[in-house]
Amino acid sequence: MRFLVIGDVIGRTGRRAVKEVLPSLKEKLSIDFVVLNGENLAHGNGITKPTFEEVITAGVDVITSGNHTFDKKEVYTIIDDERLLRPANLPPLAKGKGFNTYEKNNKRITVINLMGRVFIGIPLDCPFRTFDEIYNKVKDTSDYIIVDFHGEATSEKQAFGYYVDSRATLVFGTHTHVQTSDERFLPKGTAYISDVGLTGAYDSVIGIKAPQIIEKFITGMPVKYEPEEGRYIFQALFLDTEEKKLKRIQIKEGESYEL
Amino acid sequence: MRFLVIGDVIGRTGRRAVKEVLPSLKEKLSIDFVVLNGENLAHGNGITKPTFEEVITAGVDVITSGNHTFDKKEVYTIIDDERLLRPANLPPLAKGKGFNTYEKNNKRITVINLMGRVFIGIPLDCPFRTFDEIYNKVKDTSDYIIVDFHGEATSEKQAFGYYVDSRATLVFGTHTHVQTSDERFLPKGTAYISDVGLTGAYDSVIGIKAPQIIEKFITGMPVKYEPEEGRYIFQALFLDTEEKKLKRIQIKEGESYEL
Amino acid sequence: MRFLVIGDVIGRTGRRAVKEVLPSLKEKLSIDFVVLNGENLAHGNGITKPTFEEVITAGVDVITSGNHTFDKKEVYTIIDDERLLRPANLPPLAKGKGFNTYEKNNKRITVINLMGRVFIGIPLDCPFRTFDEIYNKVKDTSDYIIVDFHGEATSEKQAFGYYVDSRATLVFGTHTHVQTSDERFLPKGTAYISDVGLTGAYDSVIGIKAPQIIEKFITGMPVKYEPEEGRYIFQALFLDTEEKKLKRIQIKEGESYEL
Amino acid sequence: MRFLVIGDVIGRTGRRAVKEVLPSLKEKLSIDFVVLNGENLAHGNGITKPTFEEVITAGVDVITSGNHTFDKKEVYTIIDDERLLRPANLPPLAKGKGFNTYEKNNKRITVINLMGRVFIGIPLDCPFRTFDEIYNKVKDTSDYIIVDFHGEATSEKQAFGYYVDSRATLVFGTHTHVQTSDERFLPKGTAYISDVGLTGAYDSVIGIKAPQIIEKFITGMPVKYEPEEGRYIFQALFLDTEEKKLKRIQIKEGESYEL
Ligand SMILES: [Fe+2]
Ligand SMILES: [Fe+2]
Ligand SMILES: [Fe+2]
Ligand SMILES: [Fe+2]
Ligand SMILES: [Fe+2]
Ligand SMILES: [Fe+2]
Ligand SMILES: [Fe+2]
Ligand SMILES: [Fe+2]
């Protein structure tokens, strides 16, 4: 099975990157299943029905999210769509669902969305034990288990990878909007990366207009953030489970790339 | 000189408390100078011109603030009013000013607004050194120095008190919306309290509707907070510098109290 | 039933305060049951067998704790003592237990220790749901339920109070080492205070030598903290469930006090 | 000029990697100047004289550090060595120095060590303004300015990069122990990477034994961390200022690599 997972997609420029890159990339790499972190789809924060549908139409199978899932109220109209996940370790009273099993090519793929707790100011259940509980429910009915671990601290993300090593097919981190180069197969076989990175404006601070974030840091006053525009970067991770191939992808608009 | 300092005033109920309590209290205690933390005056977050004027008219001399100073854009119309302060240890590029000297009864009173850095997610300069700098500027032209130290951690607030002991007339903490009972004269004479407390709805969670804050904690989803209404509590601290008297004040609507 | 709960007891000076004050106070107020937060008993951090026994001998029934429970390895020799609790919302794999039911005067008293999650860097389960689970286990076999909610943020502590209002007999906050003056009976009857405060050296920063904490803040370098000595303050909360009386207690060494 | 900067070096395995890789790498790439972040040199935390000298002898010119600089008291014996830096935005009372200018090949190279403030629990001055101050002092006497920005949040690191773009020769992030793949020349010419990564045990959680970090997360109790051993990874960034070449380096023990 060939998976592609796409890091946090930021606003209009990020969506444009998905639409321009994904269809041909799926063909070139014969990709079977695509997961995309969509918490920043709608103008940098949250998800709306049109932005959700825009990337689904481009070829995404499942959209995961994170701390920005509920930033835009419009998300409530699609929160029960089976292709949309929010972190499974939100409290049980949170709307939406944290994992789901999908069928593709006669295989059952379970996608689990989790969120780290270090430096994330949201009341969350333990992601380690939440994984254990979900795993026990789905292990006998899943051919592949894919985890989006949305988190800040590298120690927590890597510790989680080792914790689920051999049980998950792939653990990919999201949230920092910066791709890491630590992709690998862990000792017992789980494919892992700390962060898939950013799909959005290249000349930006994590997808946002640089002057706005600088202004926040040097004035200490509230600043409205807006997604940067212009040239995009598309960042993703490709996993071929048969060929045991794991490859980071970075495609800059207008530049050639090798796969 | 007789000072009254009033803790974070929350929304309409808090402003009503100020208007109903302050005028007669000033008379009874022959208060010369009143400082009020107003960061939550406008519907629980921020300050507007009408809410600013409402409490000034009720008898307040200076309004200090904190992490919510700039929550409402309307504050920019009054940010240069000499009676409004924001934390002095915001970066130099922040709008507004952090201290000022006022004349009352032929005495010069300098009020300094500072913010603690522990658990406060704002880029702030060192409040200890910022005090030193301001102190060196104003010490020869001030008869009294009053500090509103807006902060979360008790260790930082008490450490600051000891750090400025003998140099400041009074250090009063704000921000937690809960009054502490540790008012005292520090060893070298500075009057001190860790938090003056709340002026707002009594049956509330720090001035806000309890069910809303509970919902946030048990669902992990965004919840809009609104100030609670109903019976008020008015919390303040009274300092008489001549008589060396320092007294916490708690006035619950409809209940008698002793001064 | 008459309860006394004692705030964080800091080091040798705190233990001395307990030994000098508690026996006569129990007699004067005919106290039936005493709970004491002991996370700082042993030189300011952690608990050892001798310090544990010292306060038990002075008349304490149950010792609760918090983020410093395991600071000293010696605690493992007493962690299974039925009179010692650690936060119940630590992960299930943590040593020790988070609640217990005690018999006194033919009544069954359940004491629950919980820890808040805001600004506390420890991986904790939801204290709200942990309370629900324990409550369902013990409600039919408990005459009184006492909760030590060890936490930093006033919003979380007060929200918890309202959440368990009518279910708990008493919720008392600990951890900030500063007593708050918001003790009250909540609308449905639960007795509540945000923080019981400090039992330790009076002329200190939260029980620690002031110059050491100041040094930490102004140098940014590691500083070893030691409990301050000298005159003590003893802070506690008294609840008489029959007479519906709730009273904060502050006893400064060498000063008279009224009860 | 050809620079090599090496990410956080963790314990004995990290030092071994430096000794085995650096000398030949310097030769192959004709490297003129080497900076290494050494805050974790001594058994994973802090720096001692022998560990300092070990990497200096291997060919390092300057050792920068971060939040662990003062973890081991032994550092005070070398803190005034001109080749050792600690973050320049520590308070002025902190021991050591935050920048220095070195001569190499008749060129003057200023190295500045800064620390980010987001999610870092240390009282720090503004790194943006600290850079401005240092820059104004050294710009006329420096041919190259190299900045180690030790920080957690990607937004702060990238914002800093844009803030100093054209003024610094190179900004390299450290602290997360995971290499990022966002190396680039910023629009005005400054070379940048968010994190150089880890030099230490490859099969580890950020250089530490995985089971220990997992235990911390799933038990909530204190766990002693120790550096992992075994196969190393050496991570660095190479900058050739003349050829405008910027290249990430990852060398795994026992594997071939291309430069
Ligand atoms: Fe994101
Ligand atoms: Fe996120
Ligand atoms: Fe406030
Ligand atoms: Fe505040
Ligand atoms: Fe404590
Ligand atoms: Fe504590
Ligand atoms: Fe490090
Ligand atoms: Fe670090």
Side-chain angles (χ1 to χ4, degrees):
Chain A
M1 193 70 112
R2 281 177 292 268
F3 295 96
L4 188 81
V5 296
I6 304 172
D8 300 42
V9 176
I10 319 296
R12 186 190 310 164
T13 305
R15 302 194 309 270
R16 184 167 65 83
V18 172
K19 289 184 290 186
E20 295 189 9
V21 170
L22 186 57
S24 62
L25 193 65
K26 282 182 78 167
E27 233 184 80
K28 277 184 214 162
L29 292 171
S30 303
I31 289 163
D32 300 299
F33 198 81
V34 177
V35 182
L36 174 153
N37 189 298
E39 68 160 12
N40 309 107
L41 276 174
H43 206 56
N45 280 320
I47 313 168
T48 57
K49 195 168 174 14
T51 55
F52 174 82
E53 286 173 349
E54 209 173 326
V55 291
I56 289 285
T57 303
V60 172
D61 294 285
V62 179
I63 291 175
T64 51
S65 57
N67 51 314
H68 292 296
T69 311
F70 301 104
D71 280 10
K72 292 219 165 33
K73 288 241 164 71
E74 292 92 320
V75 77
Y76 292 114
T77 66
I78 49 168
I79 194 67
D80 292 321
D81 189 301
E82 64 167 17
R83 295 161 299 183
L84 179 59
L85 301 178
R86 49 78 178 160
N89 55 331
L90 277 169
L93 289 173
K95 295 226 187 302
K97 72 221 145 298
F99 69 98
N100 207 354
T101 302
Y102 307 89
E103 276 216 37
K104 203 76 182 256
N105 305 350
N106 287 316
K107 294 291 183 184
R108 296 154 307 174
I109 302 158
T110 293
V111 180
I112 305 174
N113 195 178
L114 289 167
M115 188 148 41
R117 299 203 284 187
V118 179
F119 307 135
I120 300 276
I122 291 179
L124 293 165
D125 291 349
C126 174
F128 295 77
R129 283 152 52 208
T130 301
F131 176 86
D132 290 344
E133 286 164 28
I134 296 171
Y135 179 73
N136 287 333
K137 281 184 198 157
V138 304
K139 65 179 170 184
D140 296 331
T141 52
S142 303
D143 297 299
Y144 302 98
I145 296 179
I146 308 295
V147 182
D148 174 355
F149 193 93
H150 194 77
E152 171 69 28
T154 48
S155 60
E156 191 180 23
K157 286 171 159 181
Q158 291 192 348
F160 180 82
Y162 277 89
Y163 185 72
V164 306
D165 188 12
S166 83
R167 295 190 285 168
T169 310
L170 166 65
V171 172
F172 68 100
T174 56
H175 177 67
T176 72
H177 299 196
V178 176
Q179 194 181 71
T180 58
S181 69
D182 63 342
E183 77 282 4
R184 67 185 65 184
F185 289 99
L186 294 170
K188 297 182 189 161
T190 292
Y192 174 86
I193 191 170
S194 286
D195 213 293
V196 178
L198 165 84
T199 292
Y202 181 73
D203 295 301
S204 70
V205 171
I206 64 166
I208 303 299
K209 288 175 189 295
Q212 294 174 345
I213 297 201
I214 289 173
E215 189 187 341
K216 178 76 173 293
F217 279 116
I218 65 176
T219 68
M221 298 202 302
V223 176
K224 196 171 160 17
Y225 290 163
E226 290 165 311
E228 187 52 272
E229 309 209 333
R231 183 167 55 137
Y232 64 69
I233 185 164
F234 175 97
Q235 295 190 313
L237 182 75
F238 170 70
L239 169 66
D240 184 328
T241 57
E242 274 96 81
E243 306 212 347
K244 294 268 173 214
K245 188 177 172 195
L246 186 65
K247 191 166 173 42
R248 277 187 295 113
I249 290 171
Q250 285 210 45
I251 299 172
K252 284 180 214 163
E253 189 171 7
E255 294 189 12
S256 63
Y257 58 94
E258 41 162 326
L259 292 174
Chain B
M1 193 70 113
R2 280 176 292 268
F3 294 97
L4 188 80
V5 296
I6 304 172
D8 300 40
V9 177
I10 318 295
R12 186 190 309 164
T13 306
R15 302 194 309 268
R16 184 169 65 83
V18 172
K19 289 184 289 186
E20 293 189 12
V21 170
L22 185 57
S24 63
L25 194 65
K26 282 182 76 167
E27 233 185 80
K28 277 185 214 161
L29 291 171
S30 304
I31 288 163
D32 301 300
F33 198 82
V34 178
V35 182
L36 175 152
N37 188 298
E39 67 160 12
N40 309 106
L41 277 172
H43 206 57
N45 280 321
I47 312 169
T48 57
K49 196 168 163 48
T51 55
F52 174 82
E53 286 172 351
E54 210 174 324
V55 292
I56 289 284
T57 304
V60 172
D61 294 285
V62 179
I63 291 176
T64 51
S65 58
N67 50 314
H68 293 295
T69 311
F70 301 103
D71 280 9
K72 293 219 164 33
K73 289 241 164 70
E74 292 92 320
V75 76
Y76 291 114
T77 66
I78 49 169
I79 194 67
D80 292 321
D81 189 301
E82 66 167 17
R83 295 160 300 182
L84 179 58
L85 301 179
R86 50 77 179 161
N89 54 331
L90 277 168
L93 289 173
K95 295 223 187 303
K97 73 221 143 298
F99 69 97
N100 208 352
T101 301
Y102 307 89
E103 276 217 37
K104 203 74 181 255
N105 305 350
N106 288 316
K107 295 290 182 184
R108 296 154 307 174
I109 302 158
T110 293
V111 180
I112 305 174
N113 195 177
L114 288 167
M115 189 148 40
R117 299 203 284 186
V118 180
F119 307 136
I120 300 276
I122 291 179
L124 293 165
D125 290 350
C126 174
F128 295 78
R129 282 152 51 208
T130 301
F131 176 86
D132 291 343
E133 286 164 28
I134 297 172
Y135 179 74
N136 287 333
K137 281 183 198 156
V138 304
K139 67 180 170 184
D140 296 331
T141 53
S142 303
D143 297 298
Y144 302 98
I145 295 178
I146 310 295
V147 181
D148 175 355
F149 193 94
H150 194 77
E152 171 69 28
T154 49
S155 59
E156 191 179 23
K157 286 171 158 180
Q158 291 191 349
F160 180 82
Y162 276 90
Y163 184 73
V164 305
D165 188 13
S166 83
R167 294 190 286 168
T169 310
L170 166 64
V171 173
F172 68 101
T174 56
H175 178 66
T176 72
H177 299 195
V178 175
Q179 195 180 72
T180 58
S181 70
D182 63 342
E183 77 281 4
R184 67 186 63 183
F185 289 98
L186 293 171
K188 297 181 190 161
T190 293
Y192 175 85
I193 191 169
S194 286
D195 212 294
V196 178
L198 166 83
T199 292
Y202 181 73
D203 295 301
S204 71
V205 171
I206 64 166
I208 303 299
K209 290 175 189 295
Q212 293 174 344
I213 297 200
I214 289 173
E215 190 188 341
K216 178 76 172 291
F217 279 115
I218 65 176
T219 68
M221 298 201 302
V223 176
K224 197 172 155 21
Y225 290 164
E226 291 166 311
E228 187 52 273
E229 308 210 332
R231 183 168 55 138
Y232 65 68
I233 185 162
F234 175 97
Q235 295 190 311
L237 182 75
F238 171 71
L239 168 66
D240 184 326
T241 57
E242 274 96 83
E243 305 212 348
K244 296 265 171 218
K245 191 179 170 192
L246 186 65
K247 191 167 171 43
R248 276 187 295 113
I249 290 171
Q250 285 211 44
I251 298 171
K252 283 180 215 163
E253 188 171 8
E255 294 189 13
S256 64
Y257 58 93
E258 39 161 331
L259 292 174
Chain C
M1 194 69 112
R2 278 178 294 266
F3 294 97
L4 187 80
V5 296
I6 305 172
D8 300 40
V9 177
I10 319 296
R12 187 190 311 164
T13 305
R15 301 195 309 269
R16 184 168 65 84
V18 173
K19 289 185 288 185
E20 292 189 12
V21 170
L22 185 57
S24 63
L25 194 65
K26 281 182 78 167
E27 232 185 80
K28 277 185 215 162
L29 291 171
S30 304
I31 289 162
D32 300 300
F33 198 82
V34 178
V35 182
L36 174 153
N37 189 297
E39 67 160 12
N40 309 106
L41 277 173
H43 206 57
N45 281 321
I47 313 169
T48 57
K49 197 170 162 54
T51 55
F52 175 81
E53 286 173 350
E54 209 174 325
V55 292
I56 289 283
T57 304
V60 172
D61 293 285
V62 179
I63 291 176
T64 51
S65 58
N67 50 314
H68 292 296
T69 311
F70 301 103
D71 280 9
K72 293 219 164 35
K73 289 241 164 72
E74 292 92 319
V75 76
Y76 291 114
T77 67
I78 49 168
I79 194 67
D80 292 321
D81 189 301
E82 65 167 17
R83 295 161 299 182
L84 179 58
L85 300 178
R86 50 78 180 162
N89 54 332
L90 276 169
L93 289 173
K95 296 226 187 300
K97 72 220 144 299
F99 69 99
N100 208 353
T101 302
Y102 307 88
E103 275 217 39
K104 203 77 182 253
N105 305 350
N106 288 316
K107 295 290 183 185
R108 297 155 305 177
I109 302 159
T110 293
V111 180
I112 305 173
N113 195 177
L114 288 167
M115 189 147 42
R117 299 203 284 187
V118 180
F119 306 136
I120 300 276
I122 291 180
L124 292 165
D125 291 349
C126 174
F128 295 78
R129 283 152 52 209
T130 302
F131 176 86
D132 291 343
E133 286 164 26
I134 296 172
Y135 179 74
N136 287 332
K137 281 183 199 158
V138 304
K139 67 179 171 185
D140 296 331
T141 52
S142 302
D143 297 299
Y144 303 98
I145 295 178
I146 310 295
V147 181
D148 175 354
F149 193 94
H150 194 77
E152 171 69 29
T154 49
S155 60
E156 191 180 24
K157 286 171 158 179
Q158 291 191 349
F160 180 83
Y162 277 90
Y163 184 73
V164 305
D165 188 13
S166 83
R167 295 190 286 169
T169 310
L170 166 64
V171 172
F172 68 100
T174 56
H175 178 67
T176 72
H177 299 195
V178 176
Q179 195 181 70
T180 59
S181 69
D182 63 342
E183 77 281 4
R184 67 185 64 185
F185 289 99
L186 294 170
K188 296 181 189 160
T190 293
Y192 174 85
I193 191 169
S194 285
D195 212 293
V196 179
L198 166 82
T199 292
Y202 181 74
D203 295 301
S204 71
V205 171
I206 64 166
I208 303 299
K209 289 175 189 295
Q212 293 175 344
I213 297 201
I214 289 173
E215 190 188 342
K216 178 78 172 290
F217 280 116
I218 65 176
T219 67
M221 298 201 302
V223 176
K224 197 172 156 24
Y225 290 164
E226 292 165 310
E228 187 52 273
E229 308 210 332
R231 182 167 57 138
Y232 64 69
I233 185 163
F234 175 98
Q235 295 190 311
L237 182 75
F238 170 70
L239 168 65
D240 184 327
T241 58
E242 273 97 80
E243 305 211 348
K244 295 265 173 218
K245 189 177 170 194
L246 185 65
K247 189 163 173 47
R248 275 187 296 113
I249 290 171
Q250 285 211 45
I251 299 172
K252 283 179 215 164
E253 189 171 8
E255 295 189 13
S256 63
Y257 57 94
E258 39 163 328
L259 293 173
Chain D
M1 192 70 113
R2 281 177 292 267
F3 294 97
L4 187 81
V5 296
I6 304 172
D8 300 42
V9 176
I10 319 295
R12 187 190 312 165
T13 306
R15 302 194 309 269
R16 183 168 65 84
V18 173
K19 289 184 290 186
E20 294 189 10
V21 170
L22 186 57
S24 63
L25 194 64
K26 281 182 77 166
E27 233 184 80
K28 277 185 215 163
L29 292 170
S30 303
I31 289 163
D32 301 299
F33 199 81
V34 178
V35 182
L36 174 153
N37 189 299
E39 67 159 12
N40 309 107
L41 276 174
H43 206 56
N45 281 320
I47 313 169
T48 57
K49 196 168 168 33
T51 55
F52 174 82
E53 287 172 351
E54 209 173 326
V55 291
I56 289 284
T57 304
V60 172
D61 293 285
V62 179
I63 291 176
T64 51
S65 57
N67 50 314
H68 293 296
T69 311
F70 300 103
D71 280 10
K72 293 220 165 32
K73 288 240 164 72
E74 291 92 320
V75 77
Y76 292 115
T77 66
I78 49 168
I79 194 67
D80 292 321
D81 189 301
E82 64 167 18
R83 294 161 300 182
L84 179 58
L85 301 178
R86 49 78 178 163
N89 55 331
L90 277 169
L93 289 173
K95 295 226 187 301
K97 71 221 145 300
F99 68 98
N100 208 353
T101 301
Y102 307 88
E103 275 217 38
K104 203 76 183 254
N105 305 351
N106 287 316
K107 295 289 182 184
R108 296 155 305 176
I109 302 158
T110 293
V111 180
I112 305 174
N113 195 177
L114 289 166
M115 188 148 43
R117 300 203 284 188
V118 180
F119 307 136
I120 300 277
I122 290 180
L124 292 165
D125 291 350
C126 174
F128 295 78
R129 283 152 51 209
T130 301
F131 176 85
D132 290 344
E133 286 163 28
I134 296 171
Y135 180 72
N136 286 333
K137 281 182 200 157
V138 304
K139 65 179 170 184
D140 295 331
T141 52
S142 303
D143 297 299
Y144 302 98
I145 296 179
I146 309 295
V147 181
D148 174 355
F149 193 93
H150 194 77
E152 172 68 29
T154 49
S155 59
E156 192 180 23
K157 286 170 158 180
Q158 292 192 348
F160 181 82
Y162 277 90
Y163 185 72
V164 305
D165 188 13
S166 83
R167 295 190 286 168
T169 310
L170 166 64
V171 173
F172 67 100
T174 55
H175 178 67
T176 72
H177 298 196
V178 176
Q179 195 181 70
T180 58
S181 69
D182 64 341
E183 78 282 4
R184 68 185 64 184
F185 289 99
L186 294 170
K188 297 182 190 160
T190 293
Y192 174 86
I193 191 169
S194 286
D195 213 292
V196 179
L198 165 83
T199 292
Y202 181 73
D203 295 301
S204 70
V205 171
I206 63 166
I208 303 299
K209 290 175 188 294
Q212 294 175 344
I213 298 201
I214 289 173
E215 190 189 340
K216 178 77 174 291
F217 279 117
I218 65 176
T219 68
M221 297 202 301
V223 176
K224 196 170 158 23
Y225 290 163
E226 290 165 311
E228 187 52 273
E229 310 210 331
R231 182 168 55 139
Y232 64 69
I233 185 164
F234 175 97
Q235 295 190 312
L237 183 75
F238 170 70
L239 168 66
D240 184 327
T241 57
E242 273 96 82
E243 306 213 346
K244 294 267 174 216
K245 188 177 171 195
L246 186 64
K247 189 165 174 45
R248 274 187 295 112
I249 290 171
Q250 286 210 44
I251 299 172
K252 284 180 214 164
E253 189 172 7
E255 295 188 12
S256 63
Y257 58 93
E258 41 163 328
L259 292 175

